[in-house]
Amino acid sequence: MKPALTNHASLSSYAIGFACSMVLTLASFLAAPALGAFGIPFIILSALAQLMVQLVCFLHLGRDGEWNIQLLIFTAVIIFILVGGTLWIMSNLAHLHTHEAAPAELYENGIVAPQNELH
Amino acid sequence: MNHTLKDHVPFGLWAYIMSDCVLFACLFAAYAVLHTETAAGPSASLLFDRSFVLIETFILLASSFTCGLAVLAARARNTAGVWAALLATLVLGLAFVGMEVHEFTGLIAAGHSWRESAFLSSFFTLVGTHGLHVLVGALWMLALFVYLALRGLDERVSRRIFYFSLFWHFLDIVWIFIFSLVYLLGTFSI
C-alpha cells in the first residue's frame, strides 16, 4: 500500500524546526551589535541555515524519493544564473557609466579598450 | 505501481512552488541592484524598524508551526484539532499581513511611497508580492474551512491541507530571506 503523503510529518520535526528557526532568527537580529563587521556574513549564513532547517523539518525534503531535491537543485541553478548574471551585468554597467569615455577612446587599435571590457 | 492523476499533484505543486521561488529571486535581484538608488531620499537604515520586523517574523514562524500541527491533526483524523490549528494559522497569517499593511501605510503617509525612488519601488514590489502571497494563503485557508464545514474531515481535504502546508512553509522560507537581506542587512550598523 502506498505510504501516506504525511508519513514524514511528526510533532518532533515541527517542534525542532520551530525552535531552531527561532534561535537562528534571534541570533541574526542580535548579530550586528554583537559581532561587528562579521555580522554580515553571519546573517547570510544564519539565513541559509534556517532555510535548511525549514526544508528538512517543515517540508520533509528528501525523504520521499529524490524528485523534489532534483527540482530544488534545478531551481537553484536557474536562480544562480539569473541573480548572479543580473548582478554581474549591472555592476559592469555601473562601472561603464561612472568611467565614461569619449567615443573615440572606446576602441584602441580596432578592438574594445581593456577598461571597457566586461569584467 | 499504478499511478493515478492525483499521485502527481505533489510533484506539480512542488514545481509551481519552485517557479514562485524564481519569481522571488528576480525581485530580490532587482532590489539588490536598486536598493542604493534612494534619489536623495531616506535609505533602508532610516526607514525600517527592526523590532517590528522581529515580531512579524515570529508571527509568521509560529503560523508555520501551527500549520504543521494542522497537518498532523488531519492525519490523526482529529477534526477539532484541524479546526483549531488551521484557525490559529489563519489568525497569525492575518496578523502578519495587518502588520505589513501598517508598515506600508506608515511609509506612504510619511511621503515614502514606491514613487519616491528606485529603492522604494523595488522594496514595495518585493515585500508587497510576498504579502500578497500570504493574503492568498489566507483565502486558501478560508476555502479549506468552507470544505471542512460542508463535508467534514475526509481524505480529500486532508490531502489539500497537506498541499496548503507546502505553500505556507514556502512563504515562511521566502520571508527568511526578506528579513535577513532587506531589513537586517539594510539597517546594518556596527
Side-chain angles (χ1 to χ4, degrees):
Chain A
M1 199 174 97
K2 213 162 76 72
L5 279 172
T6 54
N7 254 11
H8 302 298
S10 73
L11 184 60
S12 57
S13 74
Y14 290 120
I16 292 172
F18 183 45
C20 289
S21 295
M22 279 219 286
V23 166
L24 286 168
T25 300
L26 266 170
S28 278
F29 273 83
L30 297 172
L35 290 176
F38 289 108
I40 292 179
F42 179 82
I43 288 171
I44 295 173
L45 286 172
S46 166
L48 291 171
Q50 201 180 142
L51 168 69
M52 290 295 125
V53 163
Q54 295 210 11
L55 281 175
V56 171
C57 293
F58 289 167
L59 288 169
H60 314 294
L61 194 71
R63 297 197 235 162
D64 262 319
E66 345 75 38
W67 56 259
N68 46 11
I69 294 188
Q70 288 172 356
L71 267 175
L72 193 68
I73 291 175
F74 173 70
T75 306
V77 169
I78 297 288
I79 288 177
F80 179 77
I81 294 172
L82 280 171
V83 178
T86 298
L87 295 176
W88 186 21
I89 290 174
M90 295 311 288
S91 87
N92 270 271
L93 206 61
H95 181 265
L96 282 176
H97 284 159
T98 51
H99 304 271
E100 201 81 66
E105 291 152 17
L106 284 174
Y107 295 93
E108 263 172 32
N109 305 321
I111 56 168
V112 175
Q115 65 266 28
N116 297 320
E117 287 274 6
L118 183 70
H119 26 246
Chain B
M1 192 159 59
N2 229 357
H3 282 269
T4 58
L5 197 60
K6 73 174 194 288
D7 290 326
H8 299 293
V9 175
F11 176 82
L13 184 68
W14 191 246
Y16 154 67
I17 288 176
M18 291 297 101
S19 76
D20 228 8
C21 285
V22 175
L23 171 76
F24 277 109
C26 292
L27 295 179
F28 270 110
Y31 181 80
V33 171
L34 298 172
H35 75 281
T36 49
E37 306 297 327
T38 55
S43 66
S45 46
L46 292 169
L47 292 178
F48 298 154
D49 178 0
R50 272 213 282 249
S51 22
F52 189 81
V53 174
L54 183 62
I55 297 171
E56 271 181 319
T57 306
F58 280 151
I59 287 177
L60 201 62
L61 188 57
S63 78
S64 234
F65 179 65
T66 57
C67 188
L69 294 180
V71 169
L72 290 173
R75 188 176 67 188
R77 299 279 175 263
N78 175 1
T79 309
V82 170
W83 273 96
L86 216 51
L87 261 168
T89 310
L90 178 66
V91 166
L92 289 166
L94 288 175
F96 174 86
V97 175
M99 285 185 75
E100 203 152 78
V101 167
H102 175 84
E103 180 194 9
F104 280 10
T105 51
L107 281 172
I108 294 168
H112 309 303
S113 78
W114 52 86
R115 289 183 289 251
E116 179 176 84
S117 62
F119 151 63
L120 283 166
S121 295
S122 54
F123 165 76
F124 274 100
T125 307
L126 171 62
V127 181
T129 301
H130 175 268
L132 272 175
H133 276 71
V134 176
L135 199 59
V136 167
L139 290 173
W140 190 344
M141 277 189 273
L142 287 178
L144 289 172
F145 282 130
V146 169
Y147 191 110
L148 279 169
L150 293 177
R151 304 230 203 147
L153 187 64
D154 61 12
E155 207 256 316
R156 221 165 145 206
V157 79
S158 291
R159 292 173 71 91
R160 290 174 179 181
I161 289 171
F162 175 71
Y163 298 146
F164 165 75
S165 74
L166 294 182
F167 178 72
W168 196 255
H169 292 312
F170 144 74
L171 287 183
D172 195 39
I173 288 176
V174 174
W175 180 256
I176 298 171
F177 291 99
I178 292 183
F179 86 74
S180 296
L181 302 177
V182 173
Y183 289 103
L184 285 183
L185 291 188
T187 55
F188 192 80
S189 56
I190 297 176

